[in-house]
Each structure stands twice: as C-alpha cells, then as structure tokens.
Amino acid sequence: MWMILQPHLLLLLINMVKKRSQLLNIIEELRLLGVQGTLFRLYYELLNRSSIRNILEKETGVPEISIDLLTWKKSRKPFYVSSADKLKDSVLSKINKSELNNSELEADNILKGKILCFSHWSGDYGYPVNWHYNPVKKVSWPEEVKSFQIMGFEKECGDIKLTWELNRFSHLYKVLRACVLTGDKKYISGFCDQLKWWEENNRYGFGANWLNGQELAIRMFAWISALYVMSDNDVFTEDDFQCFMRQVYLHTRHIEKNISYAYYAVHNNHLIGEALALYISGVLFPYFPESDRWKSKGKKILESDKCLKQFYQDGGYCQLSFTYQRLALHYYLWYSIVADLNGDTVSEEIKAVLDKSARFLFACMNDDGRLPNWGANDGALLNPWCICDYTDFRPLVQMLSYYTRGKRAFKSGLWDEEILWFFNGKMDQVEYQPYELKSQSFPETGVHILRKDSSNFMMLRCGTVNDRFGQADQLHTDIWWKGINIAVDGGSYLYNDELQYHRYFAGTRSHNTVTVDGMDQMYLHRRFKWLYWTRARLLSFSNSRVEGEHYGYKRHKAKAVHKRGIEIKPDGSYEIYDSLAQAVPVNVEYELHWLLADFPYEIEVNDDRQKKIRLKTVKGSYYLLIESDNDCTLIVNRAQDDVEYPDGWSSRYYGQKDPAVSVRLKIISSSGCQFKTIFKES
C-alpha cells in the first residue's frame, strides 16, 4: 500500500513546493509594484480582460479642423526645421557624392516599401505598403481586432516590433534627407501617399498600430518633421494637410487617454515620449479644443520627478541600457529645442540631465563612437538624420555638448549633421573641447571603466538593481582592444519571438560572468519582469583596479557570493580574478563564461586547470588565458542553435543575431572556487 501511495505523495509534495514558489513570486511582484502600482495593474487587467473597455472605447470622430494649409503656413509655430533651402547647403558640405547617391537609393527603396529595419537589415513591406506585415514571418496582424486585444495573435504573427518598425516612420527621416538634398518632388508625393495609405488601412483603435502610446508618439514626430520640410512645395496639397491634422489629433487624443499606463505602471522612456507628444502637439497645433490642456499636461509630466528621476545623478539611466538612454535624451532634446523656439522655459534640471548624460556616454565610448552593447537594445533611434552607423553615439553626444555648453566634444565630422537638422542648417563655430577621458566609476548606475586610452578599455557592471529594467548581468565585463570589442555583451535580438533567445540574451548565461548551477542572477517572472533584484557592492575603485561583488546567488541552496577584481596593467592587458564563496557545503556547478568577438580561434592549451585561447583578429593575435583552482572542463561554442540553450550569439542590431565565440569553463565544487583570467596581446 505504501509503495502505491509513495508516487502520489511525491507528486503532491512537488505541487505544494511549486505553489509555494508561485505564491512567493506573486508576493515579490506586488512588493516591487507597491500599493499604487498594484491597484492600477489590477484595474488595467480587469479593464482588458472584461467587456468594460469595449464599452468605454467607442469609436469617436475628429472635430472640425478650423485651419487650412495656407493659413497654417502663414501662422505656423517655430519648429527646429523651418526651411529645406537653408539645410541643403550645410548638409551637402558634410558628405561626398557617393554618400549622396546612397542616400537617394535608400530613399527610393523606401518609397517602394523596402525599409532598412532597425538601421541595418532590409524588410520588404510591399507596395502599396502593408502596415500590418511582419517581413520575417511573412504574415500580417489582423486589422479588425481591437488594439488592446491584438497580442492574442502574437503566436501566429511573431514579434510585433517587426511591424512597429515600419509604422514608427523612422524611415521617413531618410526620405526627408533625400528630399532636402535633391529637391526631387517624388519624395514629397511618396510621403503623402504613405500617409494616405496609413489612414485608410489603420482604423482608429483597431489593429497592431494603435496599441502602444510610445509608438504613436514616435510616428507623429516623424510626420511633423515631414510637414515642416515638405509643406511649402505645391505637391503637398490641402487634402494632405487635412489628413495630417486628423491623424495628429487622433494620435494625441489616444495618447492622452492611455498615458496612465506609462505613468503608473512603466516608469521609463515610454512616459517621456508620450508626454512629449502631448506637449509638441499642444504647442505646434493650437487649433484643437484640447491643445492648451495637452501642452500643459505634457510639460508638467516632462518636468516632473516621474520623468527626471529616471536619470541617475551620476549620468546613467534607469533602464540600464545605452540604447534606451539615447532615446530618452533625444526626447528631451526635442522638448528643449521646441520650447526654446516657442518662448517656453526649460528647467535647469533638464539641462543638467543632458550634460551629465553626455559625460557618462563619452566616458564609456570607443574612439569610433561605439559603446558596449549594454542592456536591452531594441534598435530605437528617434531621428536617424546622419549617415553614421546606428551604433555610433557621436551624433548624440556632439549634439548634447553643443546644446548644453556651446562646445564640440569631437572634431568636425559626419556626426555634426544632427546639429544641422536640429538648428535648421546653422552650426556656430565653437571651441573643440572633449570631455575628460579616463578611468571612471559611476556607482549609482553600476558601471565602472578602466581605461588605457581611447580604444583600449574595459567596462565592469556592478551595482544594486534599483529599477525593474535591465538584464541579469552583474559583474559582466566588456574588453576593448585597439578598438575591437574583444569580450562582448550579447545584446537583445528579439523580445517577442523565439523566446529561448530572449531568455539567453537577457539572462546571465550570455554575459561575461559566472553562473551557479545555470541559474540567472534574478528570476525572470514575466518576459520583461525580473524578480528578486540583485544586490551588489563596489568594494574598491582606482585608476587601474576595480573590485565588486554581488549577492544574486544567495537565493541558491549554496548561498554563494561572487566577487570579481580587475586590474589593468601598464601594457594594457587585464587580469581578472573571480572568487565564488559558498556558505553551505553542497555540490555546485560553477561556470565562467566569456563571449568573444567572432574571429578564428585556436585552443593552444587545454590542461586540467589551465586554458589558453588565441583569437586571430584583424589587428593581430589576442590571447585569453584562464586558470582555476579545481579541475575544469572547457566548452567552446559558436552559433549554436538550441530550442532550450542557444549559445555563441551576439546581436548589435535588433532582429539580427550574429555568431560569436562562447568560451565556458565548468567546475563542480562544494567549497566554492576561483578563476584567474588574463586578456593580453602577447
């Protein structure tokens, strides 16, 4: 009888443990949300899962627009772009004939529905454009489903960001650029066609493109830029203007109606972008009954702690991502410049945020403008005016330096073009004064730089997680040598499809740190929600050495603590010491991981406790040497696809993954372990 009952009792015990774990996770989630956030989330979920929202969201029309195109031209409010003629000569002075031809070719492809997605890979959305299309899965999202119910089709339709990328109209900036540089009217008629098709195929409140307020804001900003660049040409008609005004009204009204979600539940750049949309619409288009309210509400949110406290005092950003920080800073540049032009005040706190952010980004930068691929990277670039690569942050930092202190952070170059667009073709002759480039620590953000020079440096991630964003990446280390990102951060790839890759890239396994029994340092409770945020501590920092530890594995039965120390030597080599101490003597599998740039490699030494790998880079051989205090197993993977545990991948551009060399050393121990890693040229 006992033998019969035993499996049932075991199953019952397992279920009890699972239920207890689930309950603890719910309690932790509610704790992190707080009382206000919890109540709002309950209200929001009730609204979406019942028929209440269908009742509340009745389709409403657009009020009669009391202005025509001619009147608007005579009385238009100042915007950062006001004359295509002034822009043309200044932009042409920065580029050569080949770059101009490439600009025209890209714009011509855009008019045919072929978009450079996430600034890198081509997506064909058809002609006329299919605004609901996923070019990777080659399927379309349904058009006649309420937008708040659209995610029920995610399994069939894939990552919604691959559809949103088209509908952000970031490609429009390339069309505007070609229009300004060539004067060809086909770019104006091409935009007007796309605007008309968009209105005809995106019924208000239905489909994928009315779901997310930030997406609406980004789309509206591109359209406004087009209006100011193109509307003086007779190809842009009264019908085009009225179509534009209808959509600006519907977009702004929809954002105001739904901004509470970003305000109470998200606390990130979504709120900044949506508040900016209210402000911009209210300032530039004071023809709607709600315009004054939109302007006031947008300004109040943008100047409030809800937005400004997203930026840390040391210059970092709450989303723990260089990409997302760039987006938030572009939002505030738009706000600052439009406010200045229209006689509105901008708080000194915003200017301080812009200045500190510029210094922070510059401190983490390689000499070609690239930064470590740190944090979530969804391909966001608000206004891609320049021909600089998406990964180049010099256009932004140059603009921030010019705006906040009236100086160049870099000598004149292609990256100046962003300033020309923001200031309508004008860039004053100002002093070149780069920010100080040295070893620096940013303890609130949890980023620490040891630097030999502009192209030889390392970045350590070590800091207690204070916001729900980011990745499980404590003690991750980036290594840069002669401008090559040798030891890399994996990136993101996709958020909403091929979820094994989302777990890999966001989790600890893809990062250059140590895992304990394959666990993430935090618990991924939902796709974008980590629980049990990692605590960490910076133990010491100097110009040549940094040391820190984290406590994410105190959740593990071994109660393990990971400590890492890094020293940069006079010759530019790095010595990295990892110590894993466990409070409970149980067998644990420790795994040290290094994700390396995709170069040919050779394993020169593979002894029980010593490994040596040579990377054959374009700038010569570079070596990785690892020693351990226990016998260890070496595993090297490159571009390994696996439904559960992919490995050896990196992603600099959203939607595209590229091979990388994954080096893993595994040790089984009941008393902790130690590793020593050396990165050096010879």
Side-chain angles (χ1 to χ4, degrees), residues 27-50:
I27 292 170
E28 173 69 2
E29 182 176 18
L30 295 178
R31 183 186 73 81
L32 294 173
L33 279 171
V35 175
Q36 188 181 63
T38 299
L39 291 175
F40 177 82
R41 197 59 195 249
L42 289 171
Y43 156 77
Y44 184 81
E45 293 299 330
L46 175 65
L47 207 61
N48 281 350
R49 294 168 190 259
S50 67

Short mmCIF file of all heavy atoms in Angstrom, two decimals, residues 27-50:
data_model
loop_
_atom_site.label_atom_id
_atom_site.label_comp_id
_atom_site.label_asym_id
_atom_site.label_seq_id
_atom_site.Cartn_x
_atom_site.Cartn_y
_atom_site.Cartn_z
N ILE A 27 3.97 37.52 -4.31
CA ILE A 27 4.20 38.45 -3.20
C ILE A 27 5.35 39.41 -3.55
O ILE A 27 5.27 40.62 -3.31
CB ILE A 27 4.50 37.69 -1.90
CG1 ILE A 27 3.25 36.95 -1.43
CG2 ILE A 27 5.01 38.64 -0.81
CD1 ILE A 27 3.50 35.98 -0.28
N GLU A 28 6.43 38.86 -4.13
CA GLU A 28 7.57 39.69 -4.52
C GLU A 28 7.18 40.69 -5.61
O GLU A 28 7.57 41.86 -5.57
CB GLU A 28 8.73 38.81 -4.99
CG GLU A 28 9.91 39.54 -5.57
CD GLU A 28 10.72 40.35 -4.57
OE1 GLU A 28 10.38 40.33 -3.37
OE2 GLU A 28 11.69 41.01 -4.99
N GLU A 29 6.38 40.24 -6.57
CA GLU A 29 5.94 41.15 -7.63
C GLU A 29 5.10 42.29 -7.07
O GLU A 29 5.28 43.45 -7.45
CB GLU A 29 5.15 40.37 -8.69
CG GLU A 29 4.71 41.25 -9.86
CD GLU A 29 4.01 40.47 -10.96
OE1 GLU A 29 3.55 39.34 -10.70
OE2 GLU A 29 3.91 41.00 -12.08
N LEU A 30 4.21 41.97 -6.16
CA LEU A 30 3.37 43.00 -5.56
C LEU A 30 4.21 43.97 -4.73
O LEU A 30 3.96 45.18 -4.71
CB LEU A 30 2.29 42.36 -4.68
CG LEU A 30 1.25 41.50 -5.43
CD1 LEU A 30 0.26 40.88 -4.45
CD2 LEU A 30 0.51 42.33 -6.47
N ARG A 31 5.22 43.45 -4.05
CA ARG A 31 6.11 44.31 -3.26
C ARG A 31 6.83 45.31 -4.16
O ARG A 31 6.93 46.50 -3.84
CB ARG A 31 7.14 43.46 -2.51
CG ARG A 31 8.07 44.27 -1.60
CD ARG A 31 9.16 43.40 -1.00
NE ARG A 31 10.16 43.04 -1.99
CZ ARG A 31 11.17 43.83 -2.35
NH1 ARG A 31 11.28 45.04 -1.83
NH2 ARG A 31 12.05 43.42 -3.25
N LEU A 32 7.31 44.83 -5.31
CA LEU A 32 8.02 45.71 -6.22
C LEU A 32 7.09 46.73 -6.89
O LEU A 32 7.48 47.86 -7.16
CB LEU A 32 8.74 44.88 -7.29
CG LEU A 32 9.88 43.98 -6.79
CD1 LEU A 32 10.39 43.09 -7.91
CD2 LEU A 32 11.01 44.80 -6.21
N LEU A 33 5.85 46.33 -7.14
CA LEU A 33 4.88 47.24 -7.74
C LEU A 33 4.47 48.35 -6.77
O LEU A 33 4.21 49.48 -7.19
CB LEU A 33 3.63 46.48 -8.20
CG LEU A 33 3.70 45.74 -9.53
CD1 LEU A 33 2.47 44.87 -9.71
CD2 LEU A 33 3.80 46.72 -10.69
N GLY A 34 4.42 48.03 -5.47
CA GLY A 34 3.92 48.99 -4.50
C GLY A 34 2.40 49.04 -4.52
O GLY A 34 1.75 48.47 -5.40
N VAL A 35 1.83 49.75 -3.57
CA VAL A 35 0.37 49.80 -3.44
C VAL A 35 -0.27 50.44 -4.66
O VAL A 35 -1.20 49.90 -5.26
CB VAL A 35 -0.03 50.56 -2.15
CG1 VAL A 35 -1.55 50.71 -2.09
CG2 VAL A 35 0.48 49.84 -0.91
N GLN A 36 0.23 51.61 -5.05
CA GLN A 36 -0.36 52.34 -6.18
C GLN A 36 -0.23 51.54 -7.47
O GLN A 36 -1.19 51.40 -8.23
CB GLN A 36 0.33 53.70 -6.34
CG GLN A 36 -0.34 54.59 -7.37
CD GLN A 36 0.37 55.93 -7.52
OE1 GLN A 36 1.53 55.99 -7.91
NE2 GLN A 36 -0.32 57.01 -7.18
N GLY A 37 0.97 51.00 -7.72
CA GLY A 37 1.18 50.22 -8.94
C GLY A 37 0.33 48.97 -8.98
O GLY A 37 -0.18 48.59 -10.03
N THR A 38 0.17 48.30 -7.83
CA THR A 38 -0.65 47.08 -7.76
C THR A 38 -2.11 47.39 -8.07
O THR A 38 -2.75 46.68 -8.85
CB THR A 38 -0.52 46.44 -6.38
OG1 THR A 38 0.85 46.08 -6.15
CG2 THR A 38 -1.39 45.20 -6.27
N LEU A 39 -2.63 48.44 -7.44
CA LEU A 39 -4.03 48.80 -7.66
C LEU A 39 -4.27 49.17 -9.12
O LEU A 39 -5.28 48.77 -9.71
CB LEU A 39 -4.43 49.96 -6.74
CG LEU A 39 -4.50 49.62 -5.24
CD1 LEU A 39 -4.77 50.87 -4.42
CD2 LEU A 39 -5.58 48.57 -4.97
N PHE A 40 -3.33 49.93 -9.70
CA PHE A 40 -3.50 50.30 -11.11
C PHE A 40 -3.45 49.07 -12.00
O PHE A 40 -4.24 48.93 -12.93
CB PHE A 40 -2.44 51.31 -11.55
CG PHE A 40 -2.57 51.64 -13.01
CD1 PHE A 40 -3.49 52.59 -13.43
CD2 PHE A 40 -1.82 50.98 -13.97
CE1 PHE A 40 -3.65 52.88 -14.78
CE2 PHE A 40 -1.97 51.26 -15.33
CZ PHE A 40 -2.89 52.22 -15.73
N ARG A 41 -2.50 48.16 -11.71
CA ARG A 41 -2.36 46.98 -12.56
C ARG A 41 -3.62 46.10 -12.49
O ARG A 41 -4.06 45.55 -13.51
CB ARG A 41 -1.13 46.17 -12.14
CG ARG A 41 -0.67 45.16 -13.19
CD ARG A 41 -0.35 45.88 -14.48
NE ARG A 41 -0.25 44.97 -15.60
CZ ARG A 41 0.89 44.70 -16.22
NH1 ARG A 41 2.00 45.28 -15.83
NH2 ARG A 41 0.91 43.88 -17.24
N LEU A 42 -4.20 45.97 -11.30
CA LEU A 42 -5.45 45.21 -11.17
C LEU A 42 -6.57 45.85 -11.98
O LEU A 42 -7.32 45.16 -12.68
CB LEU A 42 -5.84 45.12 -9.69
CG LEU A 42 -4.97 44.22 -8.81
CD1 LEU A 42 -5.34 44.41 -7.34
CD2 LEU A 42 -5.11 42.76 -9.21
N TYR A 43 -6.66 47.19 -11.89
CA TYR A 43 -7.67 47.92 -12.65
C TYR A 43 -7.45 47.73 -14.15
O TYR A 43 -8.39 47.46 -14.91
CB TYR A 43 -7.59 49.40 -12.28
CG TYR A 43 -8.13 50.35 -13.33
CD1 TYR A 43 -9.50 50.53 -13.52
CD2 TYR A 43 -7.25 51.08 -14.14
CE1 TYR A 43 -9.99 51.39 -14.49
CE2 TYR A 43 -7.73 51.94 -15.12
CZ TYR A 43 -9.09 52.10 -15.29
OH TYR A 43 -9.57 52.96 -16.25
N TYR A 44 -6.19 47.81 -14.58
CA TYR A 44 -5.85 47.72 -16.01
C TYR A 44 -6.18 46.33 -16.55
O TYR A 44 -6.75 46.19 -17.64
CB TYR A 44 -4.37 48.05 -16.19
CG TYR A 44 -3.92 48.08 -17.62
CD1 TYR A 44 -4.13 49.21 -18.41
CD2 TYR A 44 -3.27 46.99 -18.20
CE1 TYR A 44 -3.71 49.25 -19.74
CE2 TYR A 44 -2.85 47.02 -19.53
CZ TYR A 44 -3.08 48.15 -20.28
OH TYR A 44 -2.67 48.18 -21.60
N GLU A 45 -5.80 45.29 -15.80
CA GLU A 45 -6.07 43.92 -16.26
C GLU A 45 -7.56 43.64 -16.29
O GLU A 45 -8.06 42.97 -17.20
CB GLU A 45 -5.35 42.92 -15.34
CG GLU A 45 -3.83 42.97 -15.43
CD GLU A 45 -3.30 42.65 -16.81
OE1 GLU A 45 -3.94 41.88 -17.55
OE2 GLU A 45 -2.23 43.18 -17.18
N LEU A 46 -8.30 44.14 -15.30
CA LEU A 46 -9.76 43.97 -15.28
C LEU A 46 -10.39 44.63 -16.50
O LEU A 46 -11.28 44.07 -17.15
CB LEU A 46 -10.34 44.58 -14.00
CG LEU A 46 -11.87 44.57 -13.87
CD1 LEU A 46 -12.41 43.14 -13.81
CD2 LEU A 46 -12.32 45.35 -12.65
N LEU A 47 -9.88 45.80 -16.83
CA LEU A 47 -10.40 46.54 -17.98
C LEU A 47 -10.20 45.75 -19.27
O LEU A 47 -11.09 45.65 -20.11
CB LEU A 47 -9.66 47.89 -18.07
CG LEU A 47 -10.39 49.07 -18.72
CD1 LEU A 47 -11.66 49.40 -17.95
CD2 LEU A 47 -9.46 50.27 -18.74
N ASN A 48 -9.00 45.18 -19.42
CA ASN A 48 -8.66 44.49 -20.67
C ASN A 48 -9.30 43.12 -20.80
O ASN A 48 -9.56 42.64 -21.90
CB ASN A 48 -7.14 44.35 -20.80
CG ASN A 48 -6.49 45.64 -21.27
OD1 ASN A 48 -7.17 46.57 -21.67
ND2 ASN A 48 -5.18 45.69 -21.20
N ARG A 49 -9.51 42.45 -19.68
CA ARG A 49 -10.00 41.07 -19.72
C ARG A 49 -11.53 40.99 -19.65
O ARG A 49 -12.09 39.90 -19.66
CB ARG A 49 -9.38 40.26 -18.57
CG ARG A 49 -7.88 40.08 -18.73
CD ARG A 49 -7.25 39.54 -17.47
NE ARG A 49 -5.80 39.57 -17.53
CZ ARG A 49 -5.03 38.53 -17.80
NH1 ARG A 49 -5.57 37.36 -18.04
NH2 ARG A 49 -3.72 38.64 -17.83
N SER A 50 -12.17 42.12 -19.54
CA SER A 50 -13.63 42.12 -19.49
C SER A 50 -14.16 42.89 -20.70
O SER A 50 -13.40 43.34 -21.55
CB SER A 50 -14.11 42.79 -18.20
OG SER A 50 -13.77 44.17 -18.21
#
